[in-house]
């Protein structure tokens, strides 16, 4: 979620038992969609083809993409035109699928998608390694995924959001990489973006306390080089300023009495 996107701020919602069931189902469809993409992705495909696969899987499972038609509420920025965000190599997030954009051997391809089913959203991102990727690219992808798992160690009742943010940021820094500062994780439920904001860096002990029934999208966005980014003229695609590689890993989780439950992993 974009930090500027403060309009219509909502409270942190605690989901009821029934809502948790609906979140599980939206998460399951989100995970199924990723599974289909993981199986299909190969060199020579376009990002538009992958996008169509995602849309089909969602439809078959009674969901739609919450990204398609998403209005960021920023003057001059068009509604999001595709079902998924697909960002290759130095593209960090919000790459717009296109029938002119081919996936090549050695690419790292970040796919971020949100399935909306029965009024509830599941949000997950993966960075897929296509064919033979460089050692550096593989390490970046693995560390980005691990950053998520370092963060959710703290996603427990009574801890604070800052504990999660801090764990992610410190882990990434310890590995010599940078987190993106302009975009962050978020609460999720009936809306794709709910309170609270969950930065991928910050101080431990700060922010709201976590409570059972909160559903959160935690999403480290990691750059192999410097943290600076910029937006392309399409109004969406975010790329690294220094041209270095970037990766993204996200799941929707449920805070419980004990360990968090991962809603977007099958
Ligand atoms: N799925 C993204 C997130 O993790 C949001 C994508 S923006 C959209 O928050 F415009 F594509 F919807
Ligand atoms: Co998200």
């Amino acid at each position: 979620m974009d930090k500027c996107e403060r309009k219509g701020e909502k409270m942190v919602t605690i989901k009821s038992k029934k809502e948790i069931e609906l979140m599980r189902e939206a998460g399951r469809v989100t995970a199924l969609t990723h599974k289909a993409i993981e199986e299909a992705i190969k060199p020579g495909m376009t990002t538009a083809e992958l996008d169509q696969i995602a849309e089909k899987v969602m439809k078959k499972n009674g969901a739609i993409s919450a990204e398609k038609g998403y209005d960021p509420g920023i003057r001059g920025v068009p509604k999001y035109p595709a079902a998924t965000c697909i960002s290759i190599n130095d593209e960090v997030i919000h790459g717009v699928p296109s029938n002119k954009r081919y996936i090549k051997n050695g690419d790292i391809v970040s796919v971020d998608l949100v399935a909306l089913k029965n009024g509830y959203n599941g949000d997950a991102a993966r960075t897929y390694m296509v064919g033979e990727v460089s050692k550096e690219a593989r390490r970046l992808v693995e560390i980005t995924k691990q950053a998520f798992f370092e963060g959710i160690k703290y996603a427990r009742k009574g801890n604070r959001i800052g504990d999660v943010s801090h764990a992610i940021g410190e882990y990434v820094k310890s590995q010599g990489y940078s987190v993106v500062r302009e975009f962050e994780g978020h609460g999720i439920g009936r809306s794709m973006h709910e309170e609270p904001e969950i930065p991928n860096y910050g101080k431990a002990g700060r922010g709201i306390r976590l409570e059972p029934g909160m559903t959160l999208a935690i999403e480290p966005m990691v750059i192999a080089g410097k943290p600076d980014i910029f937006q392309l003229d399409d109004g969406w695609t975010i790329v690294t300023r220094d041209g270095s590689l970037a990766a993204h890993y996200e799941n929707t989780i449920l805070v419980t009495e004990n360990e968090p439950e991962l809603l977007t992993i099958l």
Side-chain angles (χ1 to χ4, degrees):
M1 158 177 199
D2 190 322
K3 272 197 170 171
C4 303
E5 192 188 351
R6 287 273 167 75
K7 282 167 69 190
E9 221 160 349
K10 300 158 213 92
M11 299 298 294
V12 180
T13 58
I14 303 294
K15 272 73 180 176
S16 66
K17 264 202 159 132
K18 196 173 163 213
E19 287 183 293
I20 288 168
E21 272 314 314
L22 292 163
M23 287 298 292
R24 285 192 180 112
E25 178 56 16
R28 191 184 70 87
V29 177
T30 303
L32 281 174
T33 308
H34 268 296
K35 184 167 178 258
I37 286 179
E38 184 176 18
E39 285 166 5
I41 194 166
K42 55 178 185 294
M45 284 180 95
T46 67
T47 53
E49 286 176 76
L50 280 183
D51 190 68
Q52 281 148 21
I53 290 169
E55 203 164 20
K56 263 197 212 141
V57 175
M58 288 188 202
K59 191 170 175 197
K60 204 178 118 199
N61 289 281
I64 59 166
S65 161
E67 291 180 344
K68 196 165 202 172
Y70 176 77
D71 184 352
I74 302 165
R75 215 164 57 101
V77 178
K79 287 185 181 164
Y80 192 71
T84 62
C85 297
I86 306 185
S87 312
I88 304 178
N89 297 336
D90 64 324
E91 297 170 350
V92 188
I93 49 169
H94 301 171
V96 181
S98 156
N99 57 17
K100 293 185 186 70
R101 187 69 192 274
Y102 288 87
I103 293 166
K104 312 184 300 296
N105 182 43
D107 281 347
I108 58 171
V109 180
S110 298
V111 180
D112 183 1
L113 56 90
V114 183
L116 171 60
K117 181 167 180 180
N118 297 325
Y120 288 82
N121 290 278
D123 188 354
R126 303 282 181 266
T127 299
Y128 297 106
M129 295 180 276
V130 180
E132 303 120 46
V133 306
S134 70
K135 245 173 121 179
E136 303 92 89
R138 177 173 300 275
R139 178 168 183 270
L140 175 69
V141 170
E142 284 167 359
I143 281 168
T144 304
K145 179 176 180 181
Q146 188 56 30
F148 166 87
F149 286 98
E150 294 297 321
I152 65 159
K153 287 180 185 170
Y154 294 86
R156 295 179 78 104
K157 175 183 170 179
N159 284 350
R160 293 182 189 270
I161 283 292
D163 301 332
V164 175
S165 297
H166 178 76
I168 293 171
E170 289 304 301
Y171 174 72
V172 169
K173 200 160 69 178
S174 77
Q175 301 302 310
Y177 293 148
S178 307
V179 294
V180 172
R181 292 173 171 260
E182 292 84 349
F183 295 88
E184 52 202 12
H186 48 92
I188 181 167
R190 282 199 157 276
S191 297
M192 172 164 83
H193 293 144
E194 295 185 355
E195 289 294 297
E197 296 176 339
I198 312 173
N200 291 308
Y201 65 95
K203 290 204 165 78
R206 300 280 176 90
I208 62 149
R209 272 191 205 282
L210 299 178
E211 289 174 44
M214 287 180 179
T215 46
L216 308 172
I218 301 197
E219 50 178 315
M221 290 155 261
V222 179
I223 297 178
K226 296 213 171 71
D228 311 78
I229 56 167
F230 69 98
Q231 189 176 58
L232 299 185
D233 288 339
D234 63 9
W236 284 105
T237 313
I238 302 294
V239 300
T240 63
R241 186 156 294 279
D242 64 9
S244 60
L245 296 175
H248 190 191
Y249 186 87
E250 172 180 33
N251 284 301
T252 300
I253 70 161
L254 169 70
V255 180
T256 74
E257 291 291 338
N258 305 296
E259 306 258 291
E261 184 179 326
L262 304 178
L263 303 183
T264 46
I265 291 183
L266 289 174

